[in-house]
Amino acid sequence: YWLSTDMTARMGNMTIIISKNGTPEEDQIFLNTTAAQALSGIFVWSALLITCHQIYSHLRSYTVPNEQRYIIRILFIVPIYAFDSWLSLLFISNDQYYVYFDSVRDCYEAFVIYNFLSLSFEYLGGESAIMAEIRGKQIRSSCLYGTCCLAGMSYSIGFLRFCKQATLQFCVVKPIMSLITILLQAFGKYHDGDFNVTGGYLYITIIYNVSVSLALYALFLFYSATSDLLRPYEPVLKFLTIKSVIFLSFWQGMVLAILERCGVIPEALLIDGHNVGAGTVAAGWQNFITCIEMFFAAIALRYAFTYNVYQQKKSHAPDNVAPMHSISSGLKETINPGDMVQDAIHNFSPAYQQYTQQSTKEVVQPSQNGKLGPSVTKSPKKSDKITLIDTDDEF
């Protein structure tokens, strides 16, 4: 089915697809029509307006930076996913471009998973406060949460370390896989939907699937351990929204690639006069669907990570409180990934037993109504919590 350069030039803007009987034929693909690009653009720009307004509202009421930093990072997944998918759809005739665009999108999804776990830690007052609540409790055996093989074990500081490491490894693996994908694409060894053992798509998909599954499994474990503590913060809505954007979109792409491989989705040889690789049409449908999905994701995230509670805190703040950061400085703090780098160094360091994060601070206990409880000031209690963190328990 390879077309020569001269033949391609003579065909101009013609689109050639493989028919069900396996022969090339001229036909129109909906994805490269003006209607498809306009329809996806309407959903994309609507999603951008909704999310940008929400991010702006958080920055205007930047009253709890330690929480809102992670929330704003999570919200940025909509503009990145939506605009990236739309650009990929616009350049569908060049199967090199969408791989580069999708690499940026895929790297950010790893960043989002880490920030969601960090936000959950922040809600509960940090590792010290969490361990004070769950340390020594038996892990509940549940097939739903994937803890059936952990029966008889108890929660320790090693458990929290595993949750952090499992999410951080995805932040490392995903960019590496994206870089390898770009290199393989340059040498003609990577094509979406090509499960041939001589290509790179099969192996990258396996590694990616294992890595993202481990990261999401860690989130499940953490939620199963802290579900009662997190209940005031509505973690289920937050987690399901993020999971549907990241994990379901991945499997959606896999299903579309398989459908094209099975002949359900026609394979293209030529789109607008340009040769395309295997899986390009499936990837195009994936991007088109993602453009539409991001509009609904923007609405869901607006309810999951509302800014109203932070506006109320700003309106109730006393007049003598120091002025909050400006919007630009708050945004600068948000996009700075330095905290993730430090967290990665800390959690993968061999000297983890010298864990002292927050041990010199007063531990704030989360109350059942979602507000911060009183600080623990009694020295015996504080010493106990410091001891909990210094112990080198393994999960």
Side-chain angles (χ1 to χ4, degrees):
Y1 300 144
W2 295 103
L3 299 175
S4 65
T5 304
D6 293 337
M7 185 180 298
T8 300
R10 290 197 300 269
M11 289 181 175
N13 292 329
M14 186 181 298
T15 298
I16 303 294
I17 65 171
I18 303 298
S19 63
K20 292 183 179 180
N21 59 10
T23 60
E25 64 180 25
E26 182 181 356
D27 198 359
Q28 182 67 41
I29 296 180
F30 173 72
L31 295 174
N32 65 329
T33 62
T34 304
Q37 296 172 355
L39 180 62
S40 59
I42 292 173
F43 280 98
V44 165
W45 287 102
S46 299
L48 289 176
L49 290 175
I50 293 172
T51 305
C52 288
H53 176 265
Q54 187 179 7
I55 292 174
Y56 174 75
S57 299
H58 271 286
L59 290 172
R60 285 198 62 184
S61 305
Y62 205 54
T63 53
V64 188
N66 290 340
E67 292 180 7
Q68 291 174 280
R69 176 196 307 127
Y70 301 119
I71 291 175
I72 293 173
R73 290 174 178 175
I74 292 171
L75 294 177
F76 265 114
I77 193 173
V78 170
I80 291 176
Y81 261 56
F83 198 65
D84 178 280
S85 298
W86 194 51
L87 286 178
S88 299
L89 187 62
L90 294 179
F91 291 97
I92 188 176
S93 61
N94 192 317
D95 63 350
Q96 295 279 340
Y97 289 169
Y98 82 87
V99 173
Y100 304 141
F101 293 142
D102 292 354
S103 296
V104 176
R105 182 184 69 189
D106 294 344
C107 288
Y108 196 78
E109 72 182 28
F111 189 50
V112 168
I113 291 179
Y114 162 78
N115 279 282
F116 179 71
L117 181 63
S118 297
L119 176 62
S120 300
F121 272 62
E122 195 64 39
Y123 279 151
L124 301 180
E127 289 87 343
S128 302
I130 296 172
M131 285 312 304
E133 295 290 337
I134 70 173
R135 183 183 177 87
K137 293 182 179 179
Q138 293 293 313
I139 298 179
R140 182 178 59 184
S141 179
S142 171
C143 294
L144 178 62
Y145 295 119
T147 57
C148 51
C149 57
L150 303 177
M153 299 181 64
S154 58
Y155 295 112
S156 66
I157 189 62
F159 167 79
L160 294 183
R161 185 188 189 189
F162 168 78
C163 292
K164 274 293 184 71
Q165 287 180 333
T167 54
L168 285 167
Q169 60 81 26
F170 187 48
C171 296
V172 176
V173 170
K174 189 56 194 177
I176 293 176
M177 290 298 102
S178 297
L179 179 60
I180 293 176
T181 298
I182 293 174
L183 293 176
L184 291 176
Q185 175 82 5
F187 289 97
K189 296 295 184 181
Y190 180 89
H191 299 287
D192 269 318
D194 184 5
F195 293 94
N196 196 308
V197 293
T198 59
Y201 178 79
L202 174 63
Y203 306 105
I204 288 178
T205 300
I206 292 174
I207 295 174
Y208 171 81
N209 192 31
V210 172
S211 180
V212 70
S213 297
L214 181 61
L216 290 172
Y217 175 63
L219 290 182
F220 268 119
L221 287 179
F222 181 78
Y223 174 73
S224 66
T226 60
S227 57
D228 292 336
L229 301 175
L230 285 171
R231 187 170 291 114
Y233 304 97
E234 299 179 343
V236 176
L237 176 60
K238 294 178 172 65
F239 178 73
L240 289 179
T241 303
I242 295 173
K243 184 176 183 293
S244 62
V245 172
I246 295 176
F247 199 60
L248 295 182
S249 64
F250 166 73
W251 283 108
Q252 181 177 273
M254 285 285 294
V255 170
L256 289 170
I258 294 174
L259 289 177
E260 183 184 33
R261 193 72 173 178
C262 296
V264 177
I265 297 177
E267 179 184 349
L269 296 177
L270 203 70
I271 296 180
D272 289 343
H274 297 278
N275 285 319
V276 297
T280 300
V281 178
W285 279 108
Q286 163 76 345
N287 288 316
F288 177 77
I289 296 172
T290 300
C291 290
I292 298 175
E293 290 174 338
M294 286 303 103
F295 171 75
F296 299 100
I299 297 175
L301 288 171
R302 189 175 184 87
Y303 287 100
F305 298 96
T306 179
Y307 55 85
N308 293 333
V309 62
Y310 301 104
Q311 283 184 332
Q312 294 173 3
K313 290 181 180 180
K314 182 178 180 181
S315 61
H316 294 157
D319 295 335
N320 58 354
V321 173
M324 302 306 299
H325 295 293
S326 65
I327 292 178
S328 59
S329 61
L331 183 60
K332 181 179 179 181
E333 178 189 357
T334 298
I335 63 178
N336 184 3
D339 58 312
M340 186 186 72
V341 175
Q342 292 298 324
D343 205 13
I345 295 174
H346 171 73
N347 279 275
F348 286 99
S349 172
Y352 186 81
Q353 63 267 25
Q354 303 299 326
Y355 199 109
T356 57
Q357 183 176 345
Q358 296 188 7
S359 63
T360 59
K361 300 178 182 178
E362 293 181 345
V363 178
V364 179
Q365 299 292 347
S367 63
Q368 294 302 317
N369 60 4
K371 298 180 180 180
L372 296 179
S375 300
V376 179
T377 56
K378 295 181 180 180
S379 56
K381 292 289 184 181
K382 185 177 179 181
S383 300
D384 290 343
K385 290 181 175 60
I386 294 175
T387 303
L388 293 179
I389 297 302
D390 287 340
T391 304
D392 185 25
D393 295 331
E394 294 298 331
F395 178 52

